Amino acid sequence: MHDADRPREPAEASSPTHIFGIPDRRAWPDLAALIGLALATLGVMWPLGLTNRILAGIDALTYFTPYWAYRSEALRAGRIPLWNPYLFFGAPFLANIQSAVLYPLHWPLIWLPAERALVWSAILHAWLAAALMYALARRTLRLTPLAGFLAGVVFGLGGFALARVENINQLNGLAWLPGLLWLADETARAADRRGIVRWGAALILVIALSFLAGHTQTFFVNMVALALFVVLTALMARDERRWRRLAVLAAAPAAMGLSAAQLLPTLELTALGWRSGGLPFRQAASFSLQPRLLLQSLLPPFGGGLAQSFGSEGYAEFVGYTGIAALMLAGVGAWAAWRRRSDDPGATSAIALGALAVAGLFLAFGAYNPVYYLLWRFVPGFDLFRAPVRWLALYAVGVAGLAGYGLDALARTPKTAHYEQGALHRRAWLIAGALALGMLLVVQIYPDWRVVAAWIGVAALAGGLMVALRRGFSPARYLLVGLTLAELWVGARGLPFTLATAPLALSLRNAPAALLALEDGSPAGRERFLSLSDIRYDPGDLAELHALQADRLPPQGVERMIRAAKLMEVIAPNLSLYLQLPAADGYDGGLLPTDDYVNFTSLFLPDAERLPDGRLREQLRRTPEARLLDLAGITYVVTDKQGDLWLDDVYYDLEHTAVIEPGQSLRLDLSGRNAPFTATGIGVVSSVAGEAPAGERVAEVIIETDTEPPVIYLDLLAGQDTDSAQATESGARVARMWPDDAGEGRDYLGTLNFPAPAAPVAVSIRVRPEAAGPLVLRGLSLLDNRTGAHTSITVSQRGDLDRVHSGDVKIYQRMDAPGRAWLAHGLTPAQDLPEAMARMAAPSFDPRMEVILEGNTPARAPQQTNSQEWVEAVEMTPEEQTYRVFVGKLAALVVADAYYPGWQAIVDGYPAKADRANGIFRAVLLDEGIHAVTFEYRPASWRRGVAISLVSLALLALAVGATFLPRRDV
């Protein structure tokens, strides 16, 4: 029998009691190592664990913090959060596996604020990764505690793990990888059936935890690593146990049964998500390991500068360093394992880990590796994920194991070695020299020669310590471990998590506070908003923000705090979820948004300009037309002031444009919107689409007042083509300004004086019938020339916009918006989404008058809603919405919230059909009368998944429990 496959005896130095058993004298080294790993984790991650700072990277702040806050609030209330009404017109919450609702290690953290829970989850899982790597090294590779400690440090505190701190679900899933390999080995080597069942149950649980941690790509990588490790060790086994090793893979489907409560809803969402058909190769191969920057990826970033090297703030994706000393020890370990494969019980596993390291590095090259295209084309799973560089997980676990093996191999006496005295340290120097040569070659592309010098110095020091250890200087073992830990500590200073910032980053800002104040009632019942603002502006309290934290944070930490404040101000996705404000937008790089949502956004953006993961805020340049805002149930619009005008100390709001045709007029009602303002004149920013001689009357400005005279008529003249101000016969002051957005003409400012001071209650612009073309109205401001005071009037095509907040950004309210629920009397059938989209794209489509229903609904001509009809939201929770509706004649209640499997309608206490409306929303047909309408989210996938998980858990518990029953004598 091969020694590597012999059953372990309880008295062996690697007894399970050393890790999880009774802490007797033999267990102290293991307990000390685990405590040491915890201290090392806190030391390397001190900007998080030893301060009150929070993670403020884009994903950590705008994605995970909102998700964790929403999940924790629901779980604290005793509710399973199945639905998220605040993003993408509403979307599944639990089914999006990145929410990780069912991951048990999150549950104790729900009592912490979300931003602190993220920090402690990162620290916990970095330590867990190190501890499980220690277990793999001790139990599978048969290493000493010090070598196991080294392996744990290299994996748990290496660059690949810590670079994923701000993508917390990746780190959480990665932490279980060494545990999978360790428990697979334990199951295969168990001495009897009881051991097989117990170790196999542990493996099933860890596979399930790896899945529930919330990142499907990391789980996929983990499963590939497990399969490769099992197959490789089985091929190297020399007896019948190779078949048991292969049978270990049966734990994977058993774990999926245990995880069915998450798996079934996730599969349902996957089928409807934008990735359901797979990713194009260009997307699937994005974030590939770059050969020309290989050393920057695989060696510690002494001095930082990775963002500049990779030309991206997302440089953390490319980080995979393990330390120079660890790499050199791994080379020694690989050679030693190959030489000892016939008589060292851990050698075959070490060789398998080496193969994993090579495979991970090979796959990480992605687009630079022709084989990766074949894998994307023919192997299921490879076309579902981006970032091939994440295959470096296999490299990280392989190098960590081999580094520990190499440390023990160097410390062995020559008597037990299988090669001549001195050969090993010569090979160590050879490896060091090769690394040094490679580092020298990179000087010509690496911008800082001091970093290269530091690499060479560390390599020389590590090589010297390896030689000293080989010659019997035993303290060199500890010095090598210390050198590795020092490398990892210094290298971590260049990672994003060290830029953690002050909790002030999540403070409520003026714009979201104003929006929250505008809406009273339950959060889920608030009206929807669309944010179009970017963060190129400087906040008004910029100096105060700097002063508050400049002496407490590094400069980059202060910048992150300011960026976070700006993102909060514009309510960037997914901070709307954090604030519980329903948004038309969202951000997700995984299963969301649904394919229907992506297609629906083609109404707002051309296909070539759309990003598949949401983020309309970053793509829209103008407020969409009013009928599209109606269609999406949008009441509020948030914009910045980057395109507005300050001239002569007067502010003009140029966010919206109204086009008034010849012979037509636009009336803007000011009563009830602004405080009364006594003005002496009005400024008009406009242009005429067509040729109009300078000074020609093109329109009439009518000022309605509540004083004498009740109406003031002023002439608006065509602009003067001059850079200087000029007086006209009517007293208007005109000046050439700038080309309009289309570059087809120019906007002009005209100031029209009143005959006497007046307080306008309405302003109308009437274009003369003989005008050369329509008037393009951009901005209006009332002026008081006596005091220099002014107030800007909001322009809109329908005249229904009111600027309800103006600060760093602006909030507009659509005064007559239908909101998120309304009645439509016109019914138009459509067989599928493309047909519905074609109908909605037509300019004649008015969502207030007609609704497009999927199926064979009888058509009815569009009709105006009866003024006496009404829709009232009674009770709104994420998974249940109740309305009271008065219908004058047959109509559809249209709810501009996402249609998704599991939503059911109940009308007056009886089940009713919930129709797909306008491609992606919900509707129910109602007869004349007053009705109570309830929409409930009760997904069958969740109910079935829970049942399967409970049955699987019960069977697993029974199987393990049976192993503790006394054996019956035969």
Side-chain angles (χ1 to χ4, degrees):
M1 178 181 293
H2 190 234
D3 287 335
D5 292 313
R6 295 184 190 277
R8 293 195 176 103
E9 300 298 333
E12 283 189 69
S14 55
S15 168
T17 60
H18 279 229
I19 299 176
F20 301 114
I22 299 173
D24 59 16
R25 180 172 57 85
R26 294 172 301 170
W28 285 116
D30 294 322
L31 293 175
L34 294 177
I35 294 171
L37 288 172
L39 295 175
T41 301
L42 282 174
V44 173
M45 302 181 71
W46 71 266
L48 299 180
L50 303 180
T51 70
N52 70 336
R53 299 179 192 175
I54 65 173
L55 297 168
I58 291 295
D59 285 336
L61 181 80
T62 65
Y63 189 88
F64 291 106
T65 298
Y67 265 77
W68 282 47
Y70 184 72
R71 181 188 68 215
S72 295
E73 180 181 342
L75 294 178
R76 286 196 302 268
R79 178 178 67 86
I80 301 296
L82 299 176
W83 189 257
N84 166 15
Y86 304 110
L87 303 174
F88 300 120
F89 305 128
F93 188 80
L94 178 142
N96 180 6
I97 194 170
Q98 296 196 90
S99 66
V101 174
L102 302 181
Y103 185 53
L105 272 67
H106 286 163
W107 300 341
L109 301 176
I110 64 173
W111 307 104
L112 295 174
E115 59 273 19
R116 295 307 300 165
L118 276 168
V119 165
W120 284 105
S121 179
I123 294 171
L124 169 64
H125 284 85
W127 173 82
L128 182 63
L132 290 175
M133 189 68 220
Y134 177 83
L136 175 65
R138 290 281 282 135
R139 294 284 298 170
T140 300
L141 301 182
R142 307 292 185 89
L143 303 183
T144 61
L146 183 62
F149 179 86
L150 174 67
V153 162
V154 171
F155 182 72
L157 302 180
F160 187 82
L162 295 189
R164 273 132 193 88
V165 165
E166 294 199 328
N167 294 98
I168 191 67
N169 56 350
Q170 293 184 40
L171 174 60
N172 292 356
L174 173 71
W176 298 104
L177 174 55
L180 293 172
L181 308 183
W182 162 46
L183 293 173
D185 179 71
E186 293 284 6
T187 305
R189 295 187 182 189
D192 55 23
R193 186 172 299 173
R194 292 190 177 199
I196 293 173
V197 172
R198 292 175 187 175
W199 287 114
L203 176 60
I204 290 170
L205 285 172
V206 169
I207 294 175
L209 289 169
S210 174
F211 177 72
L212 296 173
H215 195 257
T216 50
Q217 184 178 14
T218 298
F219 178 73
F220 179 69
V221 170
N222 286 356
M223 290 298 98
V224 171
L226 176 62
L228 288 175
F229 183 80
V230 167
V231 170
L232 290 171
T233 53
L235 291 175
M236 287 185 284
R238 298 182 178 180
D239 62 7
E240 69 282 355
R241 288 180 184 270
R242 69 171 56 187
W243 303 113
R244 182 193 290 183
R245 286 186 175 277
L246 294 175
V248 165
L249 295 177
M256 292 300 93
L258 196 62
S259 309
Q262 178 68 66
L263 178 64
L264 295 190
T266 298
L267 288 176
E268 182 177 61
L269 177 57
T270 300
L272 299 171
W274 65 278
R275 295 192 186 191
S276 59
L279 296 173
F281 182 71
R282 181 182 293 272
Q283 289 190 33
S286 60
F287 292 98
S288 296
L289 187 63
Q290 302 176 44
R292 70 181 187 88
L293 295 171
L294 184 61
L295 294 186
Q296 286 93 320
S297 292
L298 302 185
L299 298 181
F302 299 148
L306 289 179
Q308 292 75 24
S309 296
F310 290 98
S312 169
E313 192 176 340
Y315 65 89
E317 285 284 8
F318 301 98
V319 173
Y321 67 82
T322 56
I324 295 171
L327 269 177
M328 296 171 66
L329 287 170
V332 173
W335 179 262
W338 183 256
R339 294 294 300 266
R340 296 170 180 166
R341 65 188 182 278
S342 61
D343 61 355
D344 185 349
T348 54
S349 296
I351 293 170
L353 286 178
L356 286 184
V358 172
L361 189 60
F362 179 76
L363 293 173
F365 284 110
Y368 303 97
N369 178 358
V371 176
Y372 201 85
Y373 175 82
L374 299 177
L375 294 172
W376 168 82
R377 182 71 174 83
F378 298 108
V379 179
F382 280 83
D383 62 339
L384 296 178
F385 307 111
R386 293 181 288 194
V389 73
R390 293 171 186 166
W391 285 101
L392 285 179
L394 278 64
Y395 170 82
V397 74
V399 170
L402 288 174
Y405 197 91
L407 182 65
D408 268 3
L410 280 173
R412 288 174 183 254
T413 62
K415 185 182 297 184
T416 60
H418 284 262
Y419 33 83
E420 68 279 7
Q421 172 73 16
L424 189 56
H425 74 256
R426 286 198 297 270
R427 294 190 183 96
W429 276 111
L430 182 62
I431 294 170
L435 281 174
L437 178 61
M439 294 170 195
L440 289 172
L441 292 175
V442 83
V443 170
Q444 54 189 317
I445 63 170
Y446 201 86
D448 193 342
W449 64 267
R450 292 169 295 184
V451 174
V452 179
W455 288 347
I456 295 172
V458 171
L461 178 58
L465 290 174
M466 291 166 65
V467 171
L469 177 58
R470 184 60 190 153
R471 290 181 174 177
F473 183 64
S474 59
R477 300 176 67 214
Y478 300 94
L479 293 175
L480 279 168
V481 173
L483 176 61
T484 300
L485 191 54
E487 282 190 77
L488 298 180
W489 190 93
V490 174
R493 300 314 100 200
L495 297 181
F497 80 86
T498 60
L499 303 179
T501 193
L504 185 63
L506 282 170
S507 296
L508 187 64
R509 302 287 294 179
N510 291 333
L515 202 52
L516 288 166
L518 286 167
E519 289 291 321
D520 192 16
S522 63
R526 293 188 173 114
E527 297 299 339
R528 181 169 293 132
F529 77 93
L530 172 65
S531 177
L532 309 180
S533 179
D534 60 32
I535 58 171
R536 289 179 294 175
Y537 68 93
D538 287 333
D541 57 347
L542 179 63
E544 290 83 353
L545 290 173
H546 270 291
L548 280 171
Q549 298 295 333
D551 60 338
R552 305 176 188 178
L553 294 172
Q556 288 180 301
V558 175
E559 291 305 315
R560 284 205 167 195
M561 182 190 66
I562 293 170
R563 183 180 66 178
K566 294 196 288 184
L567 288 168
M568 179 67 75
E569 189 76 68
V570 304
I571 322 176
N574 292 331
L575 290 172
S576 54
L577 175 60
Y578 183 80
L579 299 166
Q580 297 193 1
L581 288 167
D585 200 0
Y587 162 56
D588 202 292
L591 301 180
L592 288 174
T594 63
D595 194 48
D596 285 350
Y597 178 91
V598 174
N599 289 325
F600 182 81
T601 57
S602 67
L603 294 172
F604 297 82
L605 289 163
D607 288 348
E609 297 180 13
R610 283 184 297 148
L611 298 174
D613 51 1
R615 296 183 289 163
L616 287 175
R617 179 184 68 85
E618 301 176 24
Q619 304 166 74
L620 289 171
R621 296 293 176 263
R622 286 278 183 183
T623 302
E625 58 181 306
R627 69 181 189 88
L628 294 180
L629 298 178
D630 288 343
L631 177 64
I634 295 170
T635 299
Y636 298 100
V637 178
V638 180
T639 72
D640 55 46
K641 295 183 175 181
Q642 297 299 305
D644 294 345
L645 170 68
W646 276 91
L647 186 66
D648 296 335
D649 292 328
V650 176
Y651 170 67
Y652 294 89
D653 184 348
L654 306 185
E655 181 62 38
H656 305 285
T657 298
V659 179
I660 312 170
E661 298 292 338
Q664 297 182 355
S665 63
L666 172 68
R667 184 175 186 272
L668 303 175
D669 188 356
L670 307 184
S671 60
R673 299 194 186 183
N674 302 33
F677 183 85
T678 301
T680 61
I682 186 171
V684 183
V685 178
S686 63
S687 63
V688 179
E691 295 296 332
E696 180 179 299
R697 293 173 59 199
V698 295
E700 195 173 40
V701 180
I702 304 168
I703 310 296
E704 302 175 32
T705 75
D706 54 4
T707 58
E708 291 295 333
V711 181
I712 300 172
Y713 296 93
L714 302 168
D715 288 329
L716 182 65
L717 309 182
Q720 303 291 325
D721 191 15
T722 175
D723 291 327
S724 60
Q726 294 183 359
T728 66
E729 294 179 0
S730 63
R733 177 174 170 274
V734 296
R736 189 179 76 178
M737 296 307 302
W738 57 90
D740 62 19
D741 288 348
E744 298 173 352
R746 294 184 181 277
D747 291 324
Y748 296 89
L749 169 64
T751 55
L752 313 179
N753 297 323
F754 299 166
V761 295
V763 175
S764 297
I765 311 291
R766 184 165 56 203
V767 180
R768 297 174 61 82
E770 62 272 19
L775 179 76
V776 181
L777 182 63
R778 296 287 311 281
L780 294 170
S781 286
L782 295 174
L783 315 173
D784 187 346
N785 296 321
R786 300 167 301 177
T787 64
H790 64 276
T791 183
S792 181
I793 301 172
T794 303
V795 173
S796 65
Q797 191 68 48
R798 287 183 175 177
D800 65 342
L801 281 180
D802 183 18
R803 190 176 59 254
V804 293
H805 171 77
S806 181
D808 288 335
V809 298
K810 303 169 290 185
I811 301 177
Y812 301 94
Q813 181 176 2
R814 304 179 61 235
M815 303 305 294
D816 65 344
R820 289 168 58 188
W822 65 90
L823 292 171
H825 292 277
L827 308 179
T828 302
Q831 296 304 313
D832 51 29
L833 181 61
E835 184 179 344
M837 292 288 296
R839 180 71 187 92
M840 290 186 290
S844 61
F845 176 75
D846 185 349
R848 300 194 191 201
M849 299 181 63
E850 69 173 305
V851 59
I852 300 172
L853 300 177
E854 185 177 285
N856 298 316
T857 302
R860 294 187 62 190
Q863 303 177 46
Q864 192 68 42
T865 301
N866 188 323
S867 61
Q868 296 182 347
E869 296 177 325
W870 44 262
V871 177
E872 176 188 4
V874 177
E875 184 175 357
M876 307 293 285
T877 65
E879 286 85 26
E880 185 172 319
Q881 305 168 359
T882 300
Y883 301 91
R884 290 186 71 247
V885 186
F886 171 62
V887 182
K889 54 186 175 181
L890 177 67
L893 171 64
V894 181
V895 177
D897 288 345
Y899 180 93
Y900 191 82
W903 278 103
Q904 305 166 5
I906 300 173
V907 177
D908 300 327
Y910 295 96
K913 180 186 177 186
D915 291 300
R916 184 192 293 265
N918 295 335
I920 67 170
F921 299 127
R922 304 193 298 269
V924 62
L925 292 177
L926 300 175
D927 294 323
E928 179 180 350
I930 297 178
H931 302 279
V933 180
T934 298
F935 290 95
E936 295 180 344
Y937 183 56
R938 302 288 184 268
S941 58
W942 163 247
R943 298 195 303 271
R944 293 169 186 160
V946 168
I948 295 172
S949 288
L950 291 176
V951 170
S952 299
L953 183 61
L955 292 175
L956 190 65
L958 287 173
V960 174
T963 66
F964 291 95
L965 296 176
R967 296 183 180 180
R968 292 187 301 171
D969 294 332
V970 181

